[in-house]
């Protein structure tokens, strides 16, 4: 039997900052509507409704000494150390983010040099053939880079690719926007390696879509909802049309995930885990239900879609690799992966972009 070249995850790492911000942190905030009108609803009610919808109880913020590249480096180092892989054998370092490095008490971003170059520098990799670059693809950036890394490996251009998602969204949060309670900081990393196998393994298929005609600015940057906020002159905060994003996601993500499953020649009953972007617990549950309905299945298995955002928040490109790392290392109670399991990796976010790939452990 002839062998084929596949891409397998041979190492993973993650880093969540040490500062824990509980929902009570926002009790003294003054919240405003996007039209500039102050919200008079008691903050206790705002926060409780937020928790009921998103599931988030606390989130992690980077320390003043850390930037996104530092978090990316720590996740990458974890992946290299835990896998015992020689850093000089890495062919590509690919980093997904949205805002680059941001210093504390500022929303000004730095993307020169790119975060991947900074990570390579921090890792002290000498190999000049280790190519380092970033992409901006919204929250699905890490998933997109895994798809891209798979192309490199299947083509024979690379044998090992380090793929990282890192973000410090806490530094682009508008303190007067209720949505600021969603965002957090963190980083996740995986090492994808070429594997020769007679049977299909690793990344089997993928599907993607980008919608911009009416959806390009569902997530964007803008000034504070508080028109009198003193930081408005030089700030650009992350802003979103939450309801529109919710409707877009639950309408379109299930179809993209199904497309990736169908391309792999599988059925939803074959899937062991669905690792989806950790943005909103209710949204993820709705996506899961709609996905199973596409296969005429009424019930969603209880443990198929693990959720970790309760204590982590939404750290964008980092949510999926952090989730994978916790399962792979056995630190997420009740969840495990075994050889032969089929896993879905999927995300949705700014662009608007959706992507999904099927992976056989």
């Amino acid at each position: 039997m002839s062998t084929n070249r596949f891409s397998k995850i041979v190492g993973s790492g993650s880093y969540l900052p040490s500062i824990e911000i509980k929902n009570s942190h926002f009790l003294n905030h003054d919240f405003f509507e996007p039209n500039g009108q102050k919200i008079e609803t008691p903050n206790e009610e705002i926060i409780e409704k937020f928790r009921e919808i998103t599931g988030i109880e606390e989130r992690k913020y980077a320390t003043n000494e850390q930037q996104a590249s530092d978090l990316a480096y720590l996740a990458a180092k974890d992946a290299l150390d835990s896998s015992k892989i020689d850093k000089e054998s890495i062919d590509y370092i690919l980093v997904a983010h949205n805002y680059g490095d941001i210093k504390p008490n500022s929303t000004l971003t730095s993307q020169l040099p790119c975060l991947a170059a900074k990570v390579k520098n921090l890792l002290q990799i000498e190999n000049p053939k280790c190519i380092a670059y970033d992409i901006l693809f919204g929250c699905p950036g890490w998933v997109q880079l895994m798809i891209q890394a798979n192309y490199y490996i299947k083509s024979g251009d690379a044998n090992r690719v380090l793929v990282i998602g890192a973000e410090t969204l806490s530094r682009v949060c508008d303190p007067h926007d209720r949505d600021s309670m969603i965002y957090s900081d963190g980083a996740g990393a995986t090492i994808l390696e070429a594997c020769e196998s007679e049977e299909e393994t690793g990344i089997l298929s993928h599907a993607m879509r980008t919608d911009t005609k009416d959806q390009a600015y569902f997530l964007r940057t803008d000034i504070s909802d508080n028109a009198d906020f003193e930081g408005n002159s030089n700030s650009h905060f992350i802003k979103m049309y939450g309801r529109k994003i919710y409707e877009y996601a639950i309408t379109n993500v299930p179809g993209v995930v199904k497309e990736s499953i169908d391309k792999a020649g599988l059925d939803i009953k074959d899937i062991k885990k669905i690792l989806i972007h950790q943005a909103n617990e209710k949204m993820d549950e709705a996506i899961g239900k709609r996905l199973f309905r596409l296969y005429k299945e009424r019930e969603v298995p209880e443990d198929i879609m693990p959720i970790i955002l309760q204590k982590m928040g939404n750290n964008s490109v980092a949510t999926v690799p952090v989730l994978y790392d916790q399962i792979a290392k056995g630190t997420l109670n009740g969840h495990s992966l075994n050889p032969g399991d089929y896993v879905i990796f999927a995300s949705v976010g700014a662009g608007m972009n959706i992507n999904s790939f099927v992976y056989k452990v």
Side-chain angles (χ1 to χ4, degrees):
M1 241 179 126
S2 62
T3 61
N4 291 305
R5 190 176 176 90
F6 296 96
S7 304
K8 293 280 287 186
I9 300 173
V10 294
S12 65
S14 59
Y15 180 80
L16 295 177
S18 58
I19 299 177
E20 297 180 353
I21 303 295
K22 298 186 182 298
N23 286 351
S24 57
H25 170 83
F26 300 92
L27 282 170
N28 295 321
H29 281 222
D30 290 325
F31 292 119
F32 289 74
E33 297 284 3
N35 63 9
Q37 182 177 352
K38 190 174 186 301
I39 298 171
E40 300 300 339
T41 305
N43 280 9
E44 289 85 354
E45 292 183 26
I46 293 174
I47 292 170
E48 179 56 24
K49 184 177 180 181
F50 165 83
R51 187 198 61 78
E52 290 175 357
I53 294 172
T54 66
I56 298 172
E57 299 172 0
E58 64 182 57
R59 68 285 295 144
K60 311 295 185 187
Y61 283 5
T63 67
N64 285 342
E65 293 74 35
Q66 296 172 322
Q67 297 187 89
S69 57
D70 298 304
L71 309 190
Y73 157 71
L74 291 167
K77 188 174 185 303
D78 182 21
L80 288 166
D81 289 348
S82 61
S83 64
K84 310 299 183 188
I85 285 174
D86 178 9
K87 64 185 180 181
E88 297 296 337
S89 69
I90 301 295
D91 297 302
Y92 285 89
I93 299 174
L94 309 179
V95 178
H97 61 88
N98 293 293
Y99 287 94
D101 275 345
I102 310 170
K103 292 181 179 179
N105 304 311
S106 171
T107 59
L108 298 178
T109 68
S110 170
Q111 299 185 46
L112 186 68
C114 69
L115 298 197
K118 292 179 179 179
V119 169
K120 184 179 177 181
N121 171 265
L122 289 166
L123 289 171
Q124 290 293 283
I125 293 176
E126 297 182 8
N127 177 13
K129 295 298 184 181
C130 172
I131 307 304
Y133 67 87
D134 301 355
I135 69 162
L136 302 177
F137 199 72
C139 291
W142 177 85
V143 174
Q144 192 66 22
L145 281 178
M146 288 290 283
I147 294 169
Q148 201 163 303
N150 181 48
Y151 275 119
Y152 282 136
I153 288 173
K154 301 236 357 167
S155 73
D157 184 68
N159 290 312
R160 281 179 176 163
V161 183
L162 174 58
V163 184
I164 309 168
E167 198 68 85
T168 50
L169 290 180
S170 67
R171 293 179 184 168
V172 289
C173 288
D174 173 8
H176 300 290
D177 186 344
R178 288 166 293 185
D179 291 336
S180 64
M181 293 187 285
I182 293 173
Y183 304 116
S184 65
D185 307 336
T190 46
I191 300 172
L192 209 58
E193 182 177 275
C195 167
E196 300 290 336
S197 175
E198 294 179 354
E199 296 183 359
E200 286 194 325
T201 189
I203 296 179
L204 304 183
S205 64
H206 70 266
M208 306 171 288
R209 70 180 286 168
T210 294
D211 294 282
T212 61
K213 183 176 181 292
D214 300 312
Q215 305 89 348
Y217 294 97
F218 282 2
L219 273 150
R220 65 202 188 282
T221 56
D222 209 337
I223 63 172
S224 171
D225 289 346
N226 178 3
D228 296 325
F229 184 51
E230 61 182 12
N232 271 342
S233 60
N234 61 357
S235 292
H236 54 284
F237 298 107
I238 183 170
K239 293 290 175 179
M240 69 177 182
Y241 295 114
R243 172 51 59 177
K244 291 182 178 180
I245 293 171
Y246 180 90
E247 293 294 338
Y248 172 83
I250 66 172
T251 301
N252 296 295
V253 172
V256 174
V257 174
K258 184 177 187 298
E259 182 184 350
S260 68
I261 295 172
D262 293 348
K263 281 183 176 180
L266 301 172
D267 185 84
I268 192 66
K269 292 180 180 178
D270 298 316
I271 305 303
K272 173 72 178 295
K273 296 290 180 189
I274 300 173
L275 308 186
I276 195 166
H277 174 45
Q278 306 287 290
N280 178 313
E281 189 171 25
K282 287 283 191 290
M283 185 178 81
D284 287 352
E285 289 173 355
I287 289 171
K289 289 178 182 177
R290 292 193 177 204
L291 171 62
F292 274 76
R293 283 183 202 148
L294 292 178
Y295 288 92
K296 312 301 182 187
E297 296 288 336
R298 302 178 73 99
E299 298 296 326
V300 179
E302 187 174 341
D303 63 346
I304 197 170
M305 189 181 288
I307 303 292
I308 61 171
L309 54 69
Q310 297 92 338
K311 304 295 183 182
M312 179 180 73
N314 174 3
N315 46 39
S316 184
V317 292
T319 69
V320 178
V322 168
L323 175 57
Y324 171 79
D325 183 54
Q326 291 187 7
I327 296 174
K329 290 179 177 170
T331 60
L332 188 60
N333 291 337
H335 297 278
S336 62
L337 294 172
N338 299 297
D341 286 346
Y342 292 102
V343 184
I344 298 294
F345 292 78
S347 191
V348 56
M352 293 290 292
N353 297 309
I354 304 172
N355 49 20
S356 172
F357 68 83
V358 178
Y359 183 83
K360 185 178 181 181
V361 178

